[in-house]
Amino acid sequence: MLRRLRENGPAGLVPLAWTFVTAAHLDVVTRRTLLIAHVVMATLLFAFAALSRADMREGALLVWWRLVVAGLVPTAAGAVGLVVSSEPLLWTAVVGWMLLPAAGLWDTGRRGASPARVYLWSGALAGLGALTYPLGPVAGATATVAGLVLVGVGQTAGILVAVVTD
């Protein structure tokens, strides 16, 4: 059961996380709720990394394991940013989680994982979202939300393909 949860859980958690982040940007979610989510996410990431290490020792899986471990940094930055009200730390958390999976999806497609074009496109879509999101302060809330949606769709497509084709 635990193994199945580790293998399939991200397919639900990724779209949920980006929906949650978008809701937070639209002031639908309180800061306290967002802080709790960061603590839960850090715990899940740590548990996933610890429990999955033996299964993720080479190739694309090793890259993804490293990205999960690296993801603890933006997650912690976000938690601290929420506690001390630091916009740069919050920005670091969001953009960090945009770029890490985009790089992983691109790398997975580059390695020829089937279907490679889906991984490449989903990584590119997430990367485009990461480029669009920072335009929000200049271009307005539409750019912010568009960036979040592009990342969410790109990462969701990539993880769904990974779960379905595994």
Side-chain angles (χ1 to χ4, degrees), residues 2 6-7 26 40-41 44 74 79 83-84 102-104 120 140 142 147 152 161:
L2 185 57
R6 284 185 294 137
E7 290 173 353
L26 297 172
V40 168
M41 188 161 89
L44 290 173
V83 170
V84 301
L120 293 170
T142 301
V161 166

Side-chain angles (χ1 to χ4, degrees), residues 98-113:
M98 290 177 159
L99 295 175
L100 288 171
L105 290 165
W106 186 262
D107 179 71
T108 301
R110 183 190 61 80
R111 290 173 185 272

Side-chain angles (χ1 to χ4, degrees), residues 20-28 94 133 144-145 148:
F20 197 79
V21 170
T22 304
H25 278 76
L26 297 172
D27 293 324
V28 176
V94 174
Y133 173 80
T144 299
V145 172
L148 293 168

Side-chain angles (χ1 to χ4, degrees), residues 4-60:
R4 241 177 58 199
L5 185 59
R6 284 185 294 137
E7 290 173 353
N8 299 318
L13 292 174
V14 168
L16 178 64
W18 287 110
T19 300
F20 197 79
V21 170
T22 304
H25 278 76
L26 297 172
D27 293 324
V28 176
V29 177
T30 67
R31 264 181 122 77
R32 182 169 191 259
T33 303
L34 202 51
L35 177 59
I36 292 166
H38 274 77
V39 171
V40 168
M41 188 161 89
T43 304
L44 290 173
L45 289 169
F46 183 81
F48 180 86
L51 295 170
S52 301
R53 178 64 182 117
D55 297 329
M56 302 175 81
R57 292 182 185 218
E58 59 186 37

Side-chain angles (χ1 to χ4, degrees), residues 64 98 101-106 108-109 115-129 150-159 161:
W64 279 103
M98 290 177 159
L105 290 165
W106 186 262
T108 301
R117 70 183 180 284
V118 174
Y119 289 110
L120 293 170
W121 278 105
S122 62
L125 196 59
L128 179 61
L150 287 168
V151 168
V153 170
Q155 289 184 14
T156 298
I159 194 64
V161 166

